[in-house]
Amino acid sequence: MRNDIKTSCQKRLSRIEGQVRGLSKMVDEDRYCIDIVTQISAVRAALRRVEEEVLQDHVSHCVEHAITSGNKADQRQKISELMAVIGRSDR
């Protein structure tokens, strides 16, 4: 992973960690259910943004390298991994 992407993801994940701690506090304080669900949706959206950033870096680095290397086995493996992770992300 490139350093700039790693730094960006770490910052996002730290914010998400704070959001999750806030959710726990909301549950402890018996906050209104819809407010909790709204915050859960915000956390999931933030995680999706991190996921997209990591996947974009993977495609622009690892997959691109496999394609330009000419190594057919590596190309098939990288594409297979990418398709599997995309398939799992819809669940």
Side-chain angles (χ1 to χ4, degrees):
M1 184 179 292
R2 292 185 343 234
N3 283 335
D4 58 328
I5 300 299
K6 188 175 189 175
T7 300
S8 174
C9 287
Q10 288 291 15
K11 286 179 185 177
R12 287 177 186 265
L13 290 168
S14 291
R15 283 193 297 272
I16 292 166
E17 185 178 10
Q19 286 178 292
V20 172
R21 279 194 305 272
L23 274 167
S24 180
K25 186 176 177 184
M26 289 174 78
V27 171
D28 285 342
E29 295 172 351
D30 292 322
R31 296 278 297 272
Y32 186 53
C33 297
I34 297 302
D35 292 342
I36 294 170
V37 171
T38 299
Q39 288 305 309
I40 291 170
S41 293
V43 169
R44 284 200 316 228
L47 282 169
R48 276 192 302 275
R49 287 190 295 274
V50 173
E51 179 183 32
E52 289 168 5
E53 192 169 12
V54 172
L55 279 173
Q56 177 64 42
D57 185 64
H58 177 68
V59 169
S60 67
H61 180 260
C62 300
V63 175
E64 182 179 323
H65 174 71
I67 291 169
T68 59
S69 74
N71 182 329
K72 296 291 183 191
D74 194 29
Q75 292 169 359
R76 281 191 285 278
Q77 178 188 358
K78 295 297 186 229
I79 298 299
S80 178
E81 290 170 348
L82 187 58
M83 294 306 295
V85 79
I86 289 170
R88 286 192 308 262
S89 71
D90 289 340
R91 296 179 193 154

